[in-house]
């Protein structure tokens, strides 16, 4: 019998992946596994050194309060790569390093997609192209303080940790350690401050009450709009609100007993899509998110007397989200009419057809992306002179 000719296997060159999957908390640890909180995000792929340290970011885990370094995570280690990163954990500092890297990378990627160009940190603005660009440092456990901030002088994002309120900790345990580096919203907010500073000189100068208020509003807008890219959480909220994702609270998972709620699944809960940094707000005894996309009713007199930057900024956040939710309602009104005419009761979670929920989620995500693009591009176009290039 004639032997079968064996051809050599052709050599195939494989390109590197475009994206790196990494596990994160969609909101913060207090949400547990519910509401799509344990999720995997896709960040742009790059070769990483332990830290993680890459092209734009270097996580340096030095705790200045305890004068100690925590061992840096190696996201390129095969055991971690195969698991799409480390599993979410409050007690593993290496997961904290992964979380800050993932959310900061995602936020940078969002800006680059909207702007259509690569970003360059403010402290690199005047360096020549030949010089190696400096990276933005991230300190996930910088100090024992209920605070997080961007510092151009330190070229860093600095995250603190602190004990939750003993008397009124909300969803936290009394006195438990709260890590600001585990809050999606706080990381996205602080990264946005660094990104806005990278856009032009003097953007961060407090020329009037509106300048710092604008920066706080803009950073909140980026963090909040990113919620609508979390598909699982968005779908869950659409089902629980009957498509009305602008509701501040959502239906309980189970119908309430006639004598009142007997188990936690019968309790209504707040809508995580519209709240910002809930764990931080709870830990400070506020019993609610630190800030919200809703809850600032239109009032033309507010601008005359509200000067605290975050509160003044919330006027702009409310106006943009009002427009966003109005656009969502208009874009989905035909689907809702069809569903109503087919006698689907949209006020209860159980009756929202999965196909309809999917369509509504697609429209909400696309509208949020559109609005975030408008915000980022509008911010890029303000200012009098172009970004200096050499
Ligand atoms: Zn801020």
């Amino acid at each position: 019998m004639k032997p079968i000719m064996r051809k050599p296997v052709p050599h195939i060159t494989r390109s590197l992946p475009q994206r790196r999957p990494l596990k994160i908390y969609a909101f913060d640890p207090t949400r547990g596994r519910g509401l799509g909180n344990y999720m995997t995000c896709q960040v742009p792929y790059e070769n990483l050194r332990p830290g993680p340290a890459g092209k734009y970011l270097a996580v340096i885990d030095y705790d200045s309060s305890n004068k100690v370094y925590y061992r840096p995570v190696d996201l390129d280690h095969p055991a971690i790569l195969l698991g799409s990163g480390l599993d979410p954990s409050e007690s593993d500092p290496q997961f904290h390093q992964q979380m800050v890297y993932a959310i900061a990378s995602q936020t940078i990627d969002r800006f680059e997609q909207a702007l259509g160009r690569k970003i360059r940190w403010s402290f690199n603005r005047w360096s020549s192209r030949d010089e190696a660009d400096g990276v933005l440092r991230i300190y996930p456990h910088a100090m024992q303080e209920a605070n997080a901030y961007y510092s151009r002088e330190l070229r860093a994002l600095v995250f603190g940790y602190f004990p939750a309120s003993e008397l009124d900790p909300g969803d936290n345990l009394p006195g438990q350690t709260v890590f600001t580096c585990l809050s999606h919203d706080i990381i996205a907010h602080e990264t946005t401050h660094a990104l806005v500073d990278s856009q032009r000189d003097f953007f961060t100068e407090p020329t009037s009450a509106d300048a710092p208020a604008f920066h706080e509003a803009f950073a909140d807008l980026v963090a909040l709009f990113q919620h609508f890219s979390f598909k699982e959480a968005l779908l869950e909220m659409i089902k629980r609100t009957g498509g009305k994702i602008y509701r501040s609270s959502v239906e309980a998972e189970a119908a309430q007993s006639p004598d009142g709620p007997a188990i936690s699944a019968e309790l209504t809960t707040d809508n995580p899509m519209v709240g910002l940094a809930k764990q931080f707000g709870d830990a400070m005894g506020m019993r609610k998110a630190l800030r919200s996309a809703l809850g600032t009713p239109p009032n033309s007199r507010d601008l005359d007397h509200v000067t605290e930057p975050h509160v003044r900024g919330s006027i702009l956040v409310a106006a943009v989200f009002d427009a966003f939710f109005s656009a969502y309602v208009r874009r989905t009104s035909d689907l809702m009419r069809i569903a109503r005419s087919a006698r689907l009761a949209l006020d209860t979670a159980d009756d929202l057809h999965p196909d309809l929920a999917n369509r509504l989620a697609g429209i909400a995500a696309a509208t949020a992306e559109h609005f975030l693009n408008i915000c980022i591009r509008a911010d890029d176009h303000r200012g009098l002179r172009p970004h200096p290039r050499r």
Side-chain angles (χ1 to χ4, degrees), residues 80-100:
I80 296 177
L81 270 178
L82 285 169
S84 301
L86 297 165
D87 288 335
S89 161
E90 282 181 271
S91 57
D92 180 0
Q94 293 202 328
F95 170 73
H96 301 195
Q97 298 158 11
Q98 173 180 304
M99 174 91 184
V100 285

Side-chain angles (χ1 to χ4, degrees), residues 35 37 105 115:
L35 305 174
N37 190 34
S105 297
L115 296 171

Side-chain angles (χ1 to χ4, degrees), residues 63-361:
D63 179 341
S64 66
S65 296
N66 290 310
K67 300 199 171 18
V68 62
Y69 277 96
Y70 301 106
R71 182 188 286 273
V73 66
D74 179 6
L75 293 183
D76 282 347
H77 188 284
I80 296 177
L81 270 178
L82 285 169
S84 301
L86 297 165
D87 288 335
S89 161
E90 282 181 271
S91 57
D92 180 0
Q94 293 202 328
F95 170 73
H96 301 195
Q97 298 158 11
Q98 173 180 304
M99 174 91 184
V100 285
Y101 169 78
I103 307 299
S105 297
Q106 203 180 33
T107 311
I108 294 167
D109 183 44
R110 201 61 202 75
F111 267 71
E112 289 192 336
Q113 284 185 27
L115 296 171
R117 64 163 193 264
K118 297 286 176 197
I119 61 109
R120 203 168 191 202
W121 299 122
S122 61
F123 41 81
N124 294 327
R125 192 172 292 135
W126 302 107
S127 64
S128 75
R129 280 174 189 273
D130 304 333
E131 284 179 51
D133 272 359
V135 292
L136 181 71
R137 300 164 186 148
I138 305 183
Y139 295 91
H141 309 104
M143 68 274 175
Q144 285 185 23
E145 267 178 50
N147 197 8
Y149 57 91
Y150 159 64
S151 163
R152 189 197 294 169
E153 291 67 38
L154 294 174
R155 302 180 170 198
L157 305 181
V158 178
F159 296 90
Y161 59 96
F162 62 101
S165 164
E166 289 281 354
L167 299 175
D168 192 1
D171 287 342
N172 300 290
L173 295 170
Q176 85 161 74
T177 304
V178 174
F179 297 97
T180 58
C181 70
L182 290 183
S183 161
H184 164 275
D185 298 339
I186 296 177
I187 304 167
H189 179 107
E190 299 308 334
T191 308
T192 302
H193 279 313
L195 286 162
V196 171
D197 190 31
S198 79
Q199 284 179 280
R200 289 200 216 299
D201 287 331
F202 311 118
F203 252 20
T204 51
E205 293 298 315
T207 47
S208 71
D210 286 325
F214 175 82
H215 286 281
E216 296 310 332
F218 188 66
D220 282 356
L221 284 168
V222 173
L224 285 164
F225 273 128
Q226 285 195 165
H227 290 178
F228 294 85
S229 65
F230 304 157
K231 198 168 175 214
E232 250 185 75
L234 179 57
L235 259 177
E236 177 78 14
M237 278 309 102
I238 282 177
K239 287 176 190 160
R240 301 264 296 270
T241 58
K244 299 180 177 80
I245 47 169
Y246 41 87
R247 291 261 167 95
S248 56
S249 68
V250 297
E251 296 281 336
E253 286 173 273
Q256 226 177 72
S257 322
D259 313 333
I263 55 171
S264 28
E266 292 183 359
L267 293 170
T268 54
T269 181
D270 61 297
N271 180 353
M273 308 304 283
V274 300
L276 188 118
K278 169 85 163 49
Q279 186 185 22
F280 190 93
D282 272 349
M284 304 300 276
M286 294 167 64
R287 293 192 182 190
K288 59 175 187 174
L290 182 63
R291 290 189 290 281
S292 173
L294 305 168
T296 308
N299 178 355
S300 57
R301 293 182 181 276
D302 278 351
L303 286 174
D304 299 336
H305 60 85
V306 175
T307 53
E308 198 285 323
H310 299 90
V311 185
R312 193 173 173 88
S314 65
I315 300 169
L316 176 60
V317 174
V320 173
F321 267 87
D322 189 321
F324 163 64
F325 286 130
S326 301
Y328 165 79
V329 168
R330 275 180 217 130
R331 288 177 184 184
T332 55
S333 59
D334 55 346
L335 288 171
M336 296 299 229
R337 270 195 302 276
I338 294 166
R340 270 197 297 274
S341 68
R343 295 179 179 276
L344 287 175
L346 293 173
D347 284 341
T348 54
D350 294 337
D351 294 327
L352 199 62
H353 193 282
D355 289 349
L356 177 59
N358 266 322
R359 287 290 306 275
L360 295 177

